[in-house]
Amino acid sequence: MRNLNSSVYSKLAWTNLKNNRKTYIPYILTAILTVMMFYIMDALFHSKDIGSENLKLMLQYSVGVIMIFAVLLLFYTNSFLVKRRKKEIGVYNILGMGKRHIARMMIVETLITAVVSIGIGLLAGIVFGKLMYLLLLKILHYDIGMHFAVSGTAVGQTALLFMGIFLLTLFYNMMQIRLSNPIELLHGGNKGEKEPRTKWLLTVIGVLALAAGYGIALTVEKPMEAIFDFFVAVVCVIIGTYALFIAGSIAVLKLLKKNKRYYYKTTHFTAVSGMIYRMKQNAAGLANICILSTMVLVMVSTTMSLYAGMEDILKYRFPMEFSAKVASDSKETDQAAERAIREELEKAGVKEKSWIGCHGAWLAGIKVKDGFMLTEIDDYSVSDVCALSMIKLEDYNKLEGKQETLAPDEALIYAPYGTYGKDRVKLGNQNYKVKKELSSMKLEKKNKSSTVDGYYLVLPDEGHVQQALEEYNAGSAASASYAYKISFDMTGTDKEKKEAAEAVETRLAEEFSYSYCESRVLSEENFYELYGSLLFMGIYLGAMFLMATVLIIYYKQISEGYDDRERYQIMQKVGMSRAEVKRSIRSQVLMVFFLPLVTAVIHNVVAFRIVKMLLQTLNLVNVPLYLGCTALTICIFALFYAVVYAVTAREYYKIVNE
């Protein structure tokens, strides 16, 4: 067989692909979908119609995630294919084909797979690219048109990336063949049949890692801490999940096996013995399914919650539809600001309502044990930073319709995001007795929408506010001004409100030395851009992770089928009836494949608290909405998981009954 011509290699390659279609067709379909998804995301990133830098940054991150995921997924799938084909390749070797000839055959197989996958994937990406453009526009509430065009840059990058991936898998496959002898190849698909040893160290590591991850998720207190702690918890849970699936499951089964009263019963004997071998062969794959399932559940539920809760987010972030601050140095300046605002509202055909005006200072402080520092210090964490709003008593009484009085060393305090809970407060170098902690203020209702703590301090007069400002400006790199803050809602259409807000913002900037404006209607577009792009990424990447989950489940079913076909025969030979064998194996398969789903749901339940805090940093405080989205996502995913299992189980039973 030394002088095989090129046509023989082609025929052998096509024959091999045809004979192994049960494993190669899903692999090629996965490659096609991965190529398509990468091209679409890369084309969106290179689109000239997307001008937002924030959106481009998110698309760039998504491209990177898909790139890494594509490499891992195709390598994982390829390793399964090689394992299943080792016996076949060993037969070729024994019949006289040298490893050089087998390598040439594999080159042709890889070339066919790569050309089909990349070609059809790019074509599908171009066809469905327009749909993704329109979907993104719809989610972002963009009114401008985005012209569909085939991205030559994205086509080139996609082709190069996946050709590189297929070349790497080919190199890996050829190294596997080169380093193996024919006997090892013949038995390559049956490796690992010895009973696995108990890895107690790995089991303990898994328990500790999972406990650490769960502990972080259940004990984190502040939203800003949750941002960093979440990633630490994720790493711990991933390590714990893999360790417990690989070693912990076998350790538990070995303990059950040592319990003679439990083990030496017909149903328990076969179930425990079978599960030990199943977990050894499938543990890593099941852990992959669990992690991917957890990712899908978290990504889809959180992004869906953010998008569905947009109105709540805007309402909590902007209690009043419009708010403006101008530097206040006299009563005439305040009146000029009011006049300018009302004139612009009138021009736009908009009327104000619920008008609120007050004087004060709004700055960042550092929370310490007995109050707030107004100067920068070296030793503090992000969670110590808080927002301070200082207003004079006269304005507070006017706003609230009250007749409160304060001695020079007294103050009122209000914490909209919680409580202060002390009878004294130190504001910089000044000490005040807390005469009363307020339960409400018209300036801001009680809520949990802020990522940092906030406090309102009602001080006896303007002099106390100015004194605090002077200390702050002297000791900090930032500077703050005594300002007049005006907040109000508006009547009119969204278009009129937007025009009015833009006009007011422009005029105040022109006529005053310092002005700062916030508008719900002007910020709405930015919020839809941020949360809409997060939803798009969540759905897109969630779909990709779901595809990987389906693929792994399918290959696990195929692998189980080939292994169980031999087990059927052995168990029947030792005296078990066909019905008993089928019932025993079915229960084992169900337990193995639904264990990742159950574990993923547990992960999500434990992560609920810390993810809720992460959503709080994005201004979503509607916990019932997030709870509902999480429950809905879990139910739909569980149903989909069951359907996928049922469909792939058909192939399993076909193989077993052959």
Side-chain angles (χ1 to χ4, degrees), residues 72-353:
L72 296 176
L73 178 61
L74 293 179
F75 256 89
Y76 177 84
T77 311
N78 174 74
S79 65
F80 173 85
L81 297 178
V82 172
K83 182 180 177 182
R84 297 293 342 155
R85 290 192 60 196
K86 278 187 175 180
K87 185 181 292 186
E88 170 194 326
I89 294 170
V91 171
Y92 280 134
N93 204 188
I94 288 175
L95 291 177
M97 280 186 71
K99 291 184 178 180
R100 182 167 55 88
H101 299 110
I102 294 173
R104 289 184 181 179
M105 179 187 71
M106 295 181 75
I107 290 172
V108 176
E109 292 176 3
T110 303
L111 184 62
I112 293 171
T113 305
V115 170
V116 171
S117 301
I118 296 173
I120 298 177
L122 284 172
L123 183 62
I126 292 169
V127 171
F128 288 101
K130 178 66 173 179
L131 180 62
M132 290 297 105
Y133 272 94
L134 295 175
L135 177 62
L136 183 59
L137 279 177
K138 182 70 175 177
I139 291 175
L140 298 181
H141 286 211
Y142 275 5
D143 295 327
I144 59 172
M146 292 175 69
H147 304 288
F148 173 72
V150 177
S151 173
T153 303
V155 169
Q157 289 182 349
T158 304
L160 285 174
L161 171 65
F162 284 90
M163 281 302 297
I165 293 174
F166 281 113
L167 283 174
L168 287 174
T169 58
L170 174 62
F171 178 75
Y172 171 80
N173 296 344
M174 292 173 68
M175 288 300 295
Q176 289 287 304
I177 303 304
R178 183 179 178 81
L179 297 174
S180 302
N181 60 49
I183 303 301
E184 288 176 342
L185 290 172
L186 282 172
H187 296 282
N190 297 321
K191 284 184 179 180
E193 288 303 311
K194 291 183 180 180
E195 184 174 301
R197 289 181 297 177
T198 306
K199 300 175 182 177
W200 287 110
L201 178 60
L202 189 58
T203 302
V204 172
I205 291 173
V207 171
L208 293 176
L210 195 63
Y214 280 7
I216 292 171
L218 295 172
T219 57
V220 65
E221 292 295 334
K222 296 186 177 181
M224 292 303 292
E225 295 174 354
I227 296 174
F228 174 76
D229 290 346
F230 176 75
F231 292 103
V232 177
V234 167
V235 172
C236 289
V237 168
I238 289 175
I239 293 172
T241 300
Y242 276 104
L244 289 179
F245 267 94
I246 292 170
S249 57
I250 293 174
V252 171
L253 291 168
K254 284 290 192 73
L255 290 174
L256 291 176
K257 188 175 180 180
K258 288 181 179 180
N259 187 334
K260 295 181 179 180
R261 290 184 179 180
Y262 177 88
Y263 183 63
Y264 289 109
K265 293 182 180 179
T266 305
T267 54
H268 296 168
F269 176 83
T270 56
V272 172
S273 299
M275 285 291 290
I276 288 176
Y277 288 102
R278 288 183 193 280
M279 291 310 299
K280 179 182 179 181
Q281 295 170 4
N282 297 311
L286 295 174
N288 289 333
I289 295 172
C290 178
I291 297 300
L292 288 170
S293 299
T294 305
M295 288 180 178
V296 172
L297 293 174
V298 171
M299 290 184 68
V300 174
S301 61
T302 53
T303 54
M304 186 166 58
S305 301
L306 284 169
Y307 196 75
M310 187 70 69
E311 292 301 320
D312 285 342
I313 291 170
L314 288 168
K315 182 182 71 175
Y316 280 109
R317 176 62 183 81
F318 304 98
M320 306 291 281
E321 286 188 292
F322 191 90
S323 177
K325 295 175 191 170
V326 295
S328 175
D329 53 15
S330 66
K331 194 171 183 179
E332 288 74 18
T333 304
D334 301 343
Q335 291 173 346
E338 291 182 354
R339 185 167 56 252
I341 292 172
R342 287 194 166 99
E343 285 176 0
E344 294 304 324
L345 293 180
E346 187 176 353
K347 289 178 184 178
V350 172
K351 292 183 179 180
E352 81 278 358
K353 61 178 182 177

